[in-house]
Amino acid sequence: MAIISAPGHRIQLIAGVLFTAIPLWLLAWHFRVRTPLFVSRHIPHHNAWTIDRETFIQEWMDNQIGNEPNNSAISFLCRQPNIKWQPDVVLDLDDANGGIGNVRGNIFDFLGLAILSGSSIVLPSFQSRSSTDLSALWNGKIPFSTFFDEDHFIATFAAACPKMTIYKPKGNHSLPPPLHNRYGMPSMRQDLYPDTRDTEKPNTPSAAVKDLQSWILAQPDRDPKNITLISVGRTLWEGLDTRSLPPAVRRDFGSSLRLIPEVRRLAALVTYNLALTHHLHDIDPRLPYYPSSFLGAHLRTENDAKNAGWLENATPSAHADFDGQTDAYLSQAVERNLQIIYVASGNISEISKFAKKASLLHNITVTHKTALLSPTDLSTLQALSWDQQGLVDYEVLRRSSSFAGYAKSSFAFNIAITRNEFVDWNRESLRLKPGDRRREDLAFDDGVSRIWGRFEWQEERMLRGAWP
Ligand SMILES: *[C@@H]1O[C@H](CO)[C@@H](O)[C@H](O)[C@H]1NC(C)=O
Ligand SMILES: *[C@@H]1O[C@H](CO)[C@@H](O)[C@H](O)[C@H]1NC(C)=O
Ligand SMILES: *[C@@H]1O[C@H](CO)[C@@H](O)[C@H](O)[C@H]1NC(C)=O
Ligand SMILES: *[C@@H]1O[C@H](CO)[C@@H](O)[C@H](O)[C@H]1NC(C)=O
Ligand SMILES: *[C@@H]1O[C@H](CO)[C@@H](O)[C@H](O)[C@H]1NC(C)=O
């Protein structure tokens, strides 16, 4: 009290209040006025320090991509008048595979075809990765619910796309065996194949639908009196051009593939403990991301990345190996003035190396999920598969203040694309010109995420083909 009454200190106090209040006010104004994602009024002191653990987890889990689920945005796709619904045609995605980035890509391409052709589907399954050899991606089919919230998916489509029946792979139904031939969808991405524009088979959604219909009629083993079950080969980011659709459709279609509650709960816990352990006070569980708390980094240097040749520092893909990636991520943390880095990596010794380097060079603290869970929660985490454990990171990184990843990884790129939905739409250069923000050594930078290095094949496909 005595100190505050001294005139000099009073001025400091007022200045302090102003300096704190003005940016907060600007921030609140920015998000409420410009970003319709903020459904509730943002009360600054709502965070891990002021609410209890279960409330934090619940509020965190209630938030998917920042918005309330809006099924009318998905029904925008399903209610297009030119869709001819054909309940007797059932599509089954045959060979989705890889980590979350690729599997999402495979499933959304498939769903786009199913909706536009008015077909029904078998709930998609995908190949599992071997637990002993991470490079072995063909280890037997695993169910949808390994990654995704099945109830949420089915409820979403039942409400928004009632004419599309979803069969469970081993459900209580008698689907006939699939046709002998497997169907391969032509790309719908005219932007990738402009040369086909004036040909008989342009790469457009309607041409893909026509292609499927004439393919079905040409199958000798088709029984016109029964359901036709068709195995569909996977495609990757060759489906709908996401940027040709309204943001609400993009966001809500994307959030139909919500991760399983076990994973999301662990991610909420990790975030809660991160806030308490490292004294972070702007982690409000209701926000889609936290403006000034931590850098989220995806360190992609595990052995399978090495085996795939991803870590070779050849131009044009710089920032490739351990030093390349960590130098880039540290420079980003310093630039954004973030003292804490949350790192995702499947290799604990790589994490320790990064932590030593960050502390030595910049006095930056590096933390990760296993350091942030209690023994009980840790054993829940360790009971999950390698890819499922990675999903916990996916969820935590998605809400980081600034995100840093490596171009070869579709996991990282997909996080950046999802986060791009939080960016003020007036500043969204991506929507106008996908290539604008790229640099020789930088695949993506929208102010909230940076993807270091280059991988043009993937960039071209993901920028407009991957769903948030
Ligand atoms: C939901 O999406 C529809 C269609 O895009 C839009 O008209 C409506 O305003 C959205 N509702 C909310 C609450 O965002
Ligand atoms: C399977 O479905 C049929 C009709 O839809 C129903 O009569 C039967 O009880 C179901 N069986 C099981 C095991 O759920
Ligand atoms: C359709 O195929 C299933 C499975 O092969 C068979 O049980 C059913 O009798 C067939 N229905 C018709 C109408 O042919
Ligand atoms: C983890 O990284 C270390 C080097 O830091 C390497 O020796 C080891 O083989 C890697 N293990 C896996 C599973 O990636
Ligand atoms: C390093 O950071 C910590 C807190 O983040 C601080 O307490 C400490 O003084 C810093 N050390 C140096 C050498 O800057």
Side-chain angles (χ1 to χ4, degrees):
M1 279 307 162
I3 293 172
I4 287 173
S5 70
H9 287 287
R10 186 171 298 151
I11 288 165
Q12 268 182 18
L13 187 73
I14 291 168
V17 167
L18 283 178
F19 276 115
T20 321
I22 290 175
L24 278 178
W25 180 82
L26 282 175
L27 209 65
W29 176 83
H30 167 86
F31 283 120
R32 281 168 57 193
V33 177
R34 301 282 195 73
T35 313
L37 298 179
F38 278 70
V39 283
S40 57
R41 281 160 303 284
H42 177 44
I43 304 154
H45 297 296
H46 189 94
N47 61 45
W49 290 80
T50 63
I51 59 177
D52 66 77
R53 182 179 129 125
E54 283 310 313
T55 308
F56 184 96
I57 292 169
Q58 196 51 54
E59 290 183 346
W60 193 100
M61 289 180 72
D62 285 345
N63 173 1
Q64 169 62 17
I65 314 185
N67 59 314
E68 292 293 325
N70 179 359
N71 289 338
S72 58
I74 299 181
S75 42
F76 170 91
L77 278 183
C78 295
R79 298 228 173 97
Q80 291 184 84
N82 55 345
I83 296 177
K84 288 194 201 70
W85 289 94
Q86 41 181 7
D88 286 353
V89 172
V90 181
L91 306 184
D92 184 13
L93 178 56
D94 191 40
D95 57 351
N97 87 321
I100 181 73
N102 287 26
V103 167
R104 286 179 103 253
N106 295 153
I107 293 179
F108 281 124
D109 278 16
F110 168 79
L111 287 173
L113 176 70
I115 292 172
L116 296 185
S117 65
S119 310
S120 290
I121 62 166
V122 176
L123 191 65
S125 54
F126 43 92
Q127 292 285 329
S128 72
R129 192 194 294 263
S130 158
S131 57
T132 49
D133 175 7
L134 296 178
S135 302
L137 294 172
W138 301 99
N139 214 45
K141 272 198 179 184
I142 45 174
F144 184 84
S145 59
T146 313
F147 283 2
F148 306 111
D149 185 334
E150 186 172 312
D151 294 341
H152 172 75
F153 181 82
I154 289 176
T156 301
F157 279 90
C161 251
K163 291 188 180 155
M164 182 170 98
T165 305
I166 301 178
Y167 294 88
K168 294 201 185 182
K170 290 190 180 111
N172 178 18
H173 50 67
S174 55
L175 287 176
L179 296 181
H180 175 74
N181 292 325
R182 188 167 85 158
Y183 179 68
M185 181 189 90
S187 178
M188 298 182 186
R189 298 280 306 279
Q190 190 76 87
D191 62 306
L192 291 178
Y193 308 100
D195 292 348
T196 64
R197 191 179 303 274
D198 299 319
T199 64
E200 295 237 322
K201 291 192 169 179
N203 285 110
T204 61
S206 59
V209 169
K210 254 191 231 148
D211 184 81
L212 172 64
Q213 307 303 10
S214 50
W215 183 91
I216 293 174
L217 293 177
Q219 297 312 301
D221 54 342
R222 183 179 72 100
D223 175 0
K225 292 190 289 302
N226 209 339
I227 284 178
T228 304
L229 179 63
I230 301 168
S231 294
V232 178
R234 76 179 187 283
T235 57
L236 192 50
W237 311 305
E238 299 282 359
L240 288 167
D241 176 352
T242 64
R243 302 272 158 186
S244 66
L245 294 162
V249 176
R250 211 160 61 218
R251 225 169 42 225
D252 290 341
F253 194 45
S255 64
S256 67
L257 286 186
R258 195 162 77 184
L259 297 179
I260 47 175
E262 295 88 325
V263 158
R264 300 182 76 237
R265 185 180 164 81
L266 282 169
L269 264 169
V270 165
T271 310
Y272 178 79
N273 292 337
L274 176 70
L276 290 185
T277 311
H278 296 286
H279 303 275
L280 301 173
H281 289 266
D282 80 343
I283 295 190
D284 179 335
R286 301 165 305 179
L287 299 187
Y289 79 114
Y290 322 111
S292 57
S293 290
F294 65 96
L295 182 92
H298 182 224
L299 181 58
R300 191 64 174 102
T301 56
E302 298 97 338
N303 285 344
D304 65 312
K306 192 171 162 193
N307 294 342
W310 287 7
L311 309 189
E312 282 143 34
N313 262 327
T315 43
S317 193
H319 313 297
D321 61 5
F322 176 85
D323 282 329
Q325 288 185 37
T326 52
D327 285 349
Y329 302 164
L330 286 172
S331 75
Q332 190 174 333
V334 169
E335 184 190 315
R336 296 292 306 269
N337 199 21
L338 297 166
Q339 289 299 306
I340 308 289
I341 296 180
Y342 176 88
V343 64
S345 164
N347 185 327
I348 198 84
S349 81
E350 293 286 275
I351 292 178
S352 315
K353 257 166 71 184
F354 185 27
K356 283 202 194 90
K357 175 171 169 173
S359 154
L360 205 67
L361 293 181
H362 300 288
N363 194 26
I364 284 175
T365 303
V366 170
T367 187
H368 56 106
K369 60 182 174 304
T370 51
L372 291 166
L373 289 172
S374 69
T376 324
D377 295 326
L378 193 57
S379 56
T380 310
L381 176 78
Q382 283 160 348
L384 302 176
S385 72
W386 194 85
D387 276 306
Q388 283 177 323
Q389 293 188 31
L391 298 183
V392 174
D393 288 328
Y394 192 86
E395 288 278 316
V396 176
L397 293 174
R398 247 185 34 185
R399 305 185 196 206
S400 57
S401 310
S402 181
F403 172 66
Y406 174 45
K408 292 274 177 169
S409 163
S410 64
F411 176 101
F413 218 114
N414 213 144
I415 290 174
I417 286 187
T418 301
R419 289 165 57 84
N420 185 252
E421 300 299 314
F422 316 149
V423 175
D424 184 340
W425 296 337
N426 295 325
R427 287 197 286 121
E428 191 191 358
S429 61
L430 240 189
R431 200 149 54 98
L432 308 171
K433 288 183 186 171
D436 269 6
R437 290 268 181 161
R438 290 190 259 179
R439 237 172 50 192
E440 200 179 332
D441 66 335
L442 206 57
F444 186 96
D445 181 5
D446 64 358
V448 293
S449 310
R450 213 174 262 176
I451 300 293
W452 295 85
R454 296 296 304 269
F455 182 16
E456 240 164 280
W457 182 90
Q458 183 160 284
E459 288 162 33
E460 279 175 3
R461 278 159 185 76
M462 287 194 79
L463 279 170
R464 303 190 72 94
W467 295 83

